[in-house]
Every structure is written in structure tokens, then in C-alpha cells.
Amino acid sequence: MTLSRRAILKVSGAAAVAAATGGRTPSAAQDTGGAQGGSWEWVRGLFELSPDTVHMSAMLLSSHPRPVREAIEEHRRELDVDPVRYLERNNTALTDAARKAAGDYLAIHPSHVALTDSTTMGVGLIYTGMKLKPGQELLTTQNDYYVTHESLRLAAERTGARVRSITLFNRADEASEDQIISRILDAVRPNTRLLALTWVHSSTGLKIPVSTVAAALREVNAARDEEDHVLLGVDAVHGFGIEDTNFLQIGCDFYMAGCHKWLFGPRGTGIAAISKRGLSAVRPSVPSFTDDAVFSAWLQNMERPAGDNNGMRMTPGGFKPFEHRWALAEAFALHEQIGRGRIAERTHDLAGALKEALGELPGVMVHTPRDSRLSAGIVSFDVDGMSPQAVVSRLRAQDIIASVSPYATPHVRLTPSIRNNEEDIDRVAVALRGIA
Ligand SMILES: Cc1ncc(COP(=O)(O)O)c(C=O)c1O
């Protein structure tokens, strides 16, 4: 076999959806329950999750849905049979297809997309790769995650830039968009070069109004030279695959996300989307295998091209678990097939129902805002008189997968997604009534 049928479809520009589901999974593609993009039961059936367990863990690690699983399996088989020749025949086309699928999803040219292994890799590469001057400031918030804080600390250590961290709100459940924006604007200083935020906080589930922040920064930047612009970096992982928006609508400079959470893409895949301005503000840290200009310059013992940085150059090189990277296109295709608007609505509906159910339980304190403009799929809470770990253990004993947020102040998290249904919400509510 030379180029796989799947690859030929992609290379010839056929719709990604057809490549993902047409023909290959006829039973899945036909059994859509009648609704456009598939019934929710059909979506649930794409996953091989243990049926007796309530899996509210989409924010941690994906289970592969059928089209992704099958694509991985096809590539794995071929790689095991003839690794070198299968790679040589397919790598360029399939890697380009994965990058293009991410670009299409985010409405950005593929050359602005770096392929990474995770959110963490993207955030680390971007922030530690920033061209910073001593005295410049990296602004973040106390609500951000370890991955952002540690990347900024390492960036500062390398460059002499300084990190400053502000508090955006006192209580997530009482936060408002106006308060968040005004705290950010009050904190920006003339030497602030980066504002590093997390779109949806994995501690409280609060969603930052990130496009409003970007619009506010555009006004700040209008009065600055381009080299002093405040760039906006976003750990987007808990909005990516949920919210029906894209890179352009958000308006940030750096958008980093793992594809192995809410997008239900292959484990060990991620993306970093970078604006034009962002590309000139960062440099790669790991040699690229997907930027021909740099590689050929090296082959010819020539000076490496300066300027014109791009997503291919920002993509860390080295040989990869290619079967996973190449199956990324199927994850985006499935998402489009189900329908981005439907996924956003479903995730918000289930999270809303869960918050409502938890809110009725005495002894349960929900931290996530009820307002869907300030929340997404993460539902964070505490139970009076119990540690989050104890609550999670009690839930696990009933086959309900929740997790403890790995923060100085931990909370319990449940994360309903398109893999869940109303019965799952009921089961969680009943279990917590018995615990709280
Ligand atoms: C906000 C946030 N960023 C990054 C990560 C890590 O993501 P990844 O596994 O894609 O590196 C997590 C949790 O897993 C998270 O909650």
C-alpha cells in the first residue's frame, strides 16, 4: 500500500469529514440517530469508555472516539510493517493535513500553527522562546496554572524580564466581566510585554472573557510602538473543543492547547496558534523538522534564514508517535461533523444542569460561575467538612470519575462533556446527596 486512502482524500483536498468518517466507519457515519451531526447517543457510542462509570474527566485525558481510533490503528499497522517507507511516503501530506485541519478550525492560515505534544509544551515553547529585554514585564494572574507560572519563571530567568502576578477577583462565583477587565487594565504598565492568561481556569472553572480582554489591549497598544505592544498569550485548553469561536474572533497572539482533552484528539497532540505579531516576537527552542528553509540552509552550510518565522519552524522536531499526530485531522473532522455550535450548547447545558443540581445540595459550595459567559465545561466545588480528595475518593467508589484541582487551594472538579448525558448528571447528584 502506498498513500493510504485516507491520506489521498486529504491530499486531494476532499472534505475532512469525508476523510474521517466516509466509508471507513459506515455504521457510525450512517447511524446518526436522525439528528444533523449525530444524536448524542451516537456520539457517546463512538467512545469505548466503560459503560458503568460516569466519566467526568474530559479536562484530563481523552478517550479516542472511533474515527480517531481507526485512523491511529491504520497508521500504526502500516508503520509497524514498514516504518521508514510508510513515513517517507506519507509524512509531509499527513502532517500538512493535521496542521491544515487545526488552521481551518481556528480560522487561521496553517503556517501560523505549530504542532506540539500538549498544552504544556506549547506554553513552555512560546513563553520561554519570547524575545525579551531585561526590565520588560510578563504579567499574569494568581488564578493561572502551574504550566503558565513555571514557563514565565523560566522565561524571566533566561532573559532578565520580570514576572508580576495580579488577582483578578476575590471569589470566582461573584466575578464579573467588568471587574476582570478593569483589574487587567489597571495592572498593565509601559514595560508590560506579555499578558499570560488561562481561558478557563482549571481551579474554579471560571472562563475569562478573553476576546474582550484582547479588544481592551488593542486600545492600549494603539498608543504604543509595535515592539512595545502587550502581547496576549492564552492557555486555551479548557475552551478549545468547547467554545464555538476561533483564533481571529478571540484576537490573541498565542493560543496554546492540547488536543487530547475536550477535542478528543489523539493523546500526545497539541497546537500553538500564533499571530503575525506573535511570530516575530518568539524564536524556536527545538530544531524543526518541518521547516524546509532551515533544514536546507543547514544542509548547504548556509546562514539560517532570519525573520519570517512560522508555525512549521515553531514545531519541535524529532521523530514522533506519527500515528497519533496524523490522526489529528480526524478529531477536527469529527468535531465539525457533530457541529461546533451543538457541542458548545451541549457542554454548557450539561455543566449548567450539574451546577444547578449541586447548588441545591446543602453543604455543597459551587465555585464556578453560573453565567455561561463566565464558565465552560469545568464545574468546581467543595463539600463542607470534607477534603476534596475525600470527596473524589467517595465518588470513585461509586464509579464516578472526578478529580482534585492541583492548586494551593484544591477543589473537586467534575467536567461534563459530549460523552456524558442527563443520566450521568442525575447519578452524580444522587451520589453527592449521599456524601454531602
Ligand atoms: C490550565 C491547564 N493547562 C495545561 C494543562 C496540561 O495540559 P496538557 O496535558 O495538554 O499539557 C492542564 C491540565 O491538565 C490545565 O488544567
Side-chain angles (χ1 to χ4, degrees):
M1 189 177 175
T2 53
L3 208 62
S4 67
R5 193 185 63 80
R6 180 184 301 279
I8 291 165
L9 281 171
K10 279 181 203 138
V11 175
S12 67
V17 171
T21 55
R24 161 166 301 284
T25 57
S27 55
Q30 281 156 19
D31 171 24
T32 57
Q36 187 230 340
S39 71
W40 294 119
E41 270 318 292
W42 172 75
V43 170
R44 231 167 123 77
L46 296 175
F47 296 90
E48 285 190 332
L49 290 160
S50 49
D52 298 338
T53 299
V54 175
H55 295 273
M56 290 217 186
S57 54
M59 69 172 302
L60 294 176
L61 190 60
S62 168
S63 158
H64 295 155
R66 191 188 307 164
V68 171
R69 224 166 41 234
E70 290 182 351
I72 290 173
E73 181 51 20
E74 174 181 321
H75 297 310
R76 183 203 61 73
R77 216 173 24 240
E78 299 284 349
L79 283 167
D80 281 343
V81 169
D82 191 351
V84 172
R85 284 188 292 189
Y86 190 69
L87 179 68
E88 286 174 357
R89 282 196 300 264
N90 295 298
N91 191 21
T92 303
L94 292 178
T95 302
D96 286 352
R99 194 191 305 281
K100 180 174 184 316
D104 289 349
Y105 180 89
L106 290 171
I108 190 170
H109 193 275
S111 64
H112 285 253
V113 176
L115 298 174
T116 64
D117 297 353
S118 63
T119 323
T120 306
M121 180 189 269
V123 173
L125 279 172
I126 296 291
Y127 294 164
T128 63
M130 279 190 75
K131 301 170 187 170
L132 294 164
K133 295 183 261 186
Q136 281 188 321
E137 179 184 85
L138 309 168
L139 182 64
T140 189
T141 82
Q142 277 149 27
N143 313 97
D144 283 271
Y145 186 43
Y146 160 76
V147 167
T148 290
H149 288 169
E150 188 60 4
S151 299
L152 295 179
R153 190 184 71 78
L154 295 170
E157 219 172 64
R158 268 180 205 194
T159 57
R162 278 198 307 270
V163 181
R164 190 158 55 93
S165 184
I166 58 166
T167 310
L168 284 183
F169 43 80
N170 304 329
R171 286 177 53 152
D173 60 328
E174 291 175 355
S176 72
E177 182 165 322
D178 287 350
Q179 181 190 36
I180 291 170
I181 302 294
S182 68
R183 289 216 182 164
I184 287 173
L185 288 179
D186 286 351
V188 169
R189 293 176 180 166
N191 62 340
T192 306
R193 179 60 169 149
L194 173 76
L195 173 62
L197 299 178
T198 298
W199 191 1
V200 181
H201 294 163
S202 49
S203 49
T204 61
L206 178 130
K207 180 175 69 184
I208 294 284
V210 71
S211 55
T212 315
V213 173
L217 286 185
R218 272 195 293 280
E219 284 184 27
V220 172
N221 286 335
R224 295 184 176 207
D225 292 339
E226 181 159 340
E227 62 183 34
D228 294 326
H229 278 184
V230 187
L231 304 178
L232 177 59
V234 181
D235 172 339
V237 70
H238 299 306
F240 181 63
I242 298 179
E243 303 300 347
D244 188 13
T245 183
N246 62 42
F247 185 81
L248 291 183
Q249 288 162 345
I250 289 174
C252 64
D253 294 286
F254 308 115
Y255 176 114
M256 290 72 73
C259 300
H260 48 201
K261 299 183 193 283
W262 303 90
L263 187 77
F264 305 113
R267 291 181 284 271
T269 59
I271 51 114
I274 312 169
S275 70
K276 185 163 179 280
R277 183 173 66 176
L279 280 171
S280 56
V282 288
R283 55 167 77 84
S285 303
V286 179
S288 166
F289 278 24
T290 50
D291 180 42
D292 290 342
V294 173
F295 215 116
S296 11
W298 176 78
L299 284 172
Q300 294 164 53
N301 204 15
M302 282 164 57
E303 215 169 288
R304 310 293 185 273
D308 68 341
N309 192 13
N310 57 53
M312 287 74 78
R313 199 170 296 175
M314 290 301 295
T315 297
F319 286 80
K320 298 286 168 191
F322 291 103
E323 60 271 54
H324 280 223
R325 174 168 286 180
W326 294 337
L328 199 45
E330 274 76 12
F332 284 108
L334 176 63
H335 218 72
E336 297 290 352
Q337 185 195 0
I338 296 170
R340 295 176 62 161
R342 289 181 71 222
I343 290 173
E345 197 182 341
R346 175 74 170 169
T347 312
H348 278 274
D349 282 354
L350 290 173
L354 180 59
K355 280 182 270 186
E356 208 174 302
L358 298 189
E360 285 168 5
L361 298 178
V364 172
M365 166 73 203
V366 179
H367 301 294
T368 312
R370 295 288 176 95
D371 186 344
S372 71
R373 285 171 309 171
L374 290 175
S375 59
I378 298 176
V379 177
S380 165
F381 64 98
D382 282 304
V383 174
D384 272 356
M386 285 182 83
S387 72
Q389 185 55 59
V391 177
V392 167
S393 302
R394 294 277 296 272
L395 290 171
R396 293 257 173 120
Q398 299 185 53
D399 285 329
I400 295 170
I401 309 296
S403 60
V404 178
S405 58
Y407 286 79
T409 306
H411 302 303
V412 186
R413 300 172 304 186
L414 286 162
T415 55
S417 71
I418 55 168
R419 305 179 314 187
N420 298 107
N421 61 18
E422 292 76 3
E423 281 165 38
D424 289 346
I425 306 287
D426 289 347
R427 222 174 112 184
V428 169
V430 169
L432 277 167
R433 196 168 298 127
I435 293 172

